């Protein structure tokens, strides 16, 4: 699969057609998608209609858009007109169909992109593993016996496997950055509220963000420009720091080596109260998720995935005073982090504590003890979500080894700087996608 920017250029120039790109994409999904357990619905009829519209616009001499003819998929919590929005749950399989597309899908369609599929996720986005009771567990394209990460695992897996050039996911506590790291692609959690959330099934409103997965920084920047409706551009010097303390614990040696090689002279700093920030993030997430689903739990708790149900019930029972105290701490904490970020533009940190764990034994080591991957793969991403800062997961160059990523954490509104720094790393060969064995080799 070519990069999104390459596909769009070829379609706009007439070198190929949007319909030809789409048919190759559909063939790849039919041939390879099943083994990944990543796709929940193929939207072939809709996609053909959108591709035909792109080709008709080009034939008429009209502007087809910066993503002309580029196929993509969305996590199964975006509204798609005419379909129920299930958020990965059997509970909403027969819900009334969405009356319109999510705002992000509308912006992508206006830019010429072609929606092809909805993609697997943890039920209600509550997890870091994409273990779904209804659709199954999404598999990592680099090692099918391992997790792809979550909760946007389906969105990451199809891109990493070469089946789609980009996709959309959502990130509450790391649900884009974790699967991006484990499957070896790029994924961004933007500054909180920077991208449109209209028509996206919520999990925890005060944390939820959407963002794209892509195979290159150029693609990421192009998609960002469409979704954010502004161009990412900045030329100031980049001030870098490496995160120490808890961010140097529970990491792979390659991550530390990479951070030290990228910025050997950058200061090593610690963010304050990281454990407390993560605990508060857990509490706020649980409380907001529990409140959102309280009525449905009361009505039919047994319809929920058991692993999701128990945590949502616990969240619904949290006292309001505890939730309010966590939010007050969050307000104070964000100001403390903003004061630190006044001196830096990019913080380097690990994205996940380890490569992808086995599906048969979904555990990881945290402080030397086994811990469930579904809860703790976000140990390094969750505290960053708590701050609301943007974070771009970039894949380390690790040919022949399981993928692993770093987080590039920026100042609020600093996505342009993250893209520019990621481009420097990519150009130096320090980061970038390594295709898995068996990646789809279609011409699209």
């Amino acid at each position: 699969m070519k990069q999104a920017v390459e596909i769009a250029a070829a379609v706009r120039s007439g070198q190929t057609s949007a319909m030809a790109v789409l048919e190759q994409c559909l063939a790849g999904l039919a041939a390879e998608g099943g083994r990944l357990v990543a796709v929940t619905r193929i939207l072939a009829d809709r996609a053909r209609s959108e591709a035909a519209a792109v080709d008709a616009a080009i034939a008429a001499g009209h502007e087809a858009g910066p993503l002309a003819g580029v196929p993509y998929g969305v996590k199964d919590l975006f509204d798609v007109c005419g379909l129920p929005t299930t958020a990965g749950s059997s509970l909403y399989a027969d819900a009334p169909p969405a009356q319109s597309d999510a705002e992000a899908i509308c912006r992508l369609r206006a830019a010429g992109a072609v929606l092809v599929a909805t993609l697997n996720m943890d039920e209600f986005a509550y997890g870091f593993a994409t273990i779904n009771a209804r659709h199954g567990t999404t598999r990592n394209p680099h090692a099918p016996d391992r997790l792809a990460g979550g909760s946007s695992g389906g969105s990451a897996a199809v891109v990493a496997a070469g089946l789609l050039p980009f996709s959309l996911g959502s990130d509450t506590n790391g649900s884009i950055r974790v699967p991006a790291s484990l499957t070896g692609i790029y994924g961004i959690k933007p500054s909180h509220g920077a991208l449109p959330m209209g028509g996206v099934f919520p999990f925890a409103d005060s944390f939820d963000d959407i963002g794209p997965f892509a195979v290159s920084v150029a693609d990421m920047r192009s998609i960002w420009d469409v979704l954010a409706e502004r161009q990412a551009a900045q030329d100031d010097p980049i001030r870098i720091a490496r995160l120490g303390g808890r961010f140097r614990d529970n990491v792979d040696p390659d991550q530390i080596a990479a951070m030290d090689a990228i910025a050997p002279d950058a200061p090593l700093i610690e963010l304050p109260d990281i454990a407390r920030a993560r605990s508060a993030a857990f509490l706020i997430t649980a409380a907001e998720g529990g409140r959102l689903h309280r009525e449905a739990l009361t009505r039919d708790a047994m319809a929920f995935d058991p692993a999701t149900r128990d945590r949502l019930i616990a969240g619904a029972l949290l006292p309001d005073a505890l939730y309010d105290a966590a939010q007050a701490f969050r307000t104070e904490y964000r100001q403390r982090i903003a004061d630190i970020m006044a001196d830096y533009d990019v913080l380097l940190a690990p994205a996940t504590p380890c490569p992808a764990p086995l599906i048969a034994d979904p555990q990881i080591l945290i402080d030397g003890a086994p811990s469930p991957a579904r809860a703790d793969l976000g140990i390094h991403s969750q505290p960053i979500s708590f701050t609301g800062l943007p974070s771009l997961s970039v894949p380390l160059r690790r040919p022949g080894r399981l993928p692993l990523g770093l987080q590039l954490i920026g100042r609020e509104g600093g996505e342009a700087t993250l893209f520019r720094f990621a481009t420097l790393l990519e150009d130096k060969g320090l980061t970038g996608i390594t295709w898995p064995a068996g990646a789809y080799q279609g011409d699209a």
Side-chain angles (χ1 to χ4, degrees):
M1 178 66 69
K2 292 180 180 178
Q3 293 182 35
V5 292
E6 295 172 335
I7 293 171
V11 169
R12 287 195 303 268
S13 69
Q15 183 180 344
T16 189
S17 67
M19 192 64 73
V21 171
L22 172 62
E23 294 300 337
Q24 288 187 353
C25 175
L26 290 172
L29 288 168
E32 304 291 338
R35 68 183 177 87
L36 294 178
V37 197
V39 178
T40 58
R41 288 173 292 201
I42 298 289
L43 311 176
D45 291 344
R46 171 180 170 138
R48 290 188 174 107
S49 175
E50 291 187 357
V54 171
D55 288 336
I58 292 172
H62 298 151
E63 173 57 48
L67 296 174
V70 180
Y72 73 102
V74 296
K75 186 175 182 176
D76 207 358
L77 47 56
F78 285 78
D79 284 354
V80 176
C81 187
L83 298 176
T85 305
T86 70
S89 177
S90 299
L91 195 69
Y92 293 103
D94 299 318
Q99 297 301 299
S100 59
D101 289 335
E103 174 61 23
I105 293 175
C106 292
R107 293 185 186 183
L108 289 168
R109 185 173 187 173
V114 175
L115 179 60
V116 176
T118 59
L119 305 166
N120 200 17
M121 58 182 286
D122 286 288
E123 184 182 62
F124 300 126
Y126 209 165
F128 292 116
T130 310
I131 298 172
N132 186 283
R134 181 180 181 212
H135 298 291
T137 298
T138 296
R139 297 177 177 273
N140 194 312
H142 289 264
D145 61 341
R146 292 182 180 269
L147 295 171
S151 63
S152 308
S155 298
V158 291
V159 174
L163 298 176
L164 289 173
F166 82 93
S167 66
L168 295 186
S170 69
D171 190 309
T172 302
N173 286 306
S175 288
I176 289 175
R177 290 159 289 163
V178 167
S181 175
L182 298 189
T183 62
I185 58 176
Y186 292 89
I188 189 167
K189 185 213 85 68
S191 302
H192 183 59
L195 295 184
M197 293 298 297
V200 179
F201 196 104
F203 172 23
D205 279 335
S206 66
F207 284 88
D208 292 346
D209 285 299
I210 64 165
F213 294 93
V215 300
S216 70
V217 184
D219 279 4
M220 181 66 73
R221 186 190 296 262
S222 181
I223 299 157
W224 173 267
D225 290 348
V226 169
L227 291 173
E229 295 185 328
R230 64 178 185 271
Q231 291 192 339
Q234 192 183 47
D235 295 317
D236 297 333
I238 301 174
R239 300 167 299 170
I240 305 164
R242 296 165 295 157
L243 289 187
R246 288 294 287 168
F247 288 98
R248 303 283 277 197
D249 301 331
N250 302 304
V251 294
D252 187 284
D254 279 3
Q255 291 171 307
I256 292 179
M259 289 186 285
D260 293 347
I262 289 168
D265 299 322
L268 190 66
I269 67 170
E270 290 193 36
L271 299 185
D273 289 335
I274 284 296
R276 188 180 176 196
R278 189 171 182 236
S279 295
F282 263 126
L283 191 151
I284 295 170
T285 300
E288 292 185 2
R291 290 173 180 179
L292 177 68
H293 295 283
R294 181 181 293 158
E295 184 178 330
L297 287 163
T298 302
R299 187 170 59 247
D300 189 6
M302 299 310 292
F304 287 75
D305 177 340
T308 305
R309 178 184 63 230
D310 293 349
R311 287 182 291 168
L312 289 174
I313 291 173
L317 296 174
L318 284 169
D320 289 347
L322 194 57
Y323 172 80
D324 293 342
Q327 285 285 31
F329 170 66
R330 187 184 189 191
T331 300
E332 169 202 336
Y333 190 78
R334 284 186 163 187
Q335 185 56 56
R336 293 165 69 188
I337 299 303
D339 291 343
I340 292 171
M341 289 301 297
D343 295 324
Y344 305 106
D345 301 298
V346 177
L347 306 181
L348 296 176
T352 53
C354 59
L358 292 165
I359 292 173
D361 184 23
Q363 296 192 91
I364 59 176
L365 290 179
I366 299 294
D367 297 333
S371 184
R374 195 169 190 172
D376 280 332
L377 274 169
I379 188 172
H380 299 309
S381 58
Q382 195 163 20
I384 305 307
S385 294
F386 193 67
T387 68
L389 298 176
S391 178
L392 173 65
S393 180
V394 298
L396 294 177
R397 288 283 190 187
R398 283 164 53 98
R401 305 184 66 187
L402 289 171
L404 202 54
L406 297 181
Q407 289 184 88
L408 310 183
I409 302 158
R411 303 167 75 177
E412 184 175 357
E415 287 84 359
T417 300
L418 297 184
F419 298 147
R420 188 158 59 94
F421 188 56
T423 299
L424 294 174
L425 299 183
E426 194 175 64
D427 289 346
K428 291 178 180 179
L430 296 172
T431 62
I433 187 170
T434 300
W435 293 107
Y440 182 61
Q441 299 297 314
D443 294 331

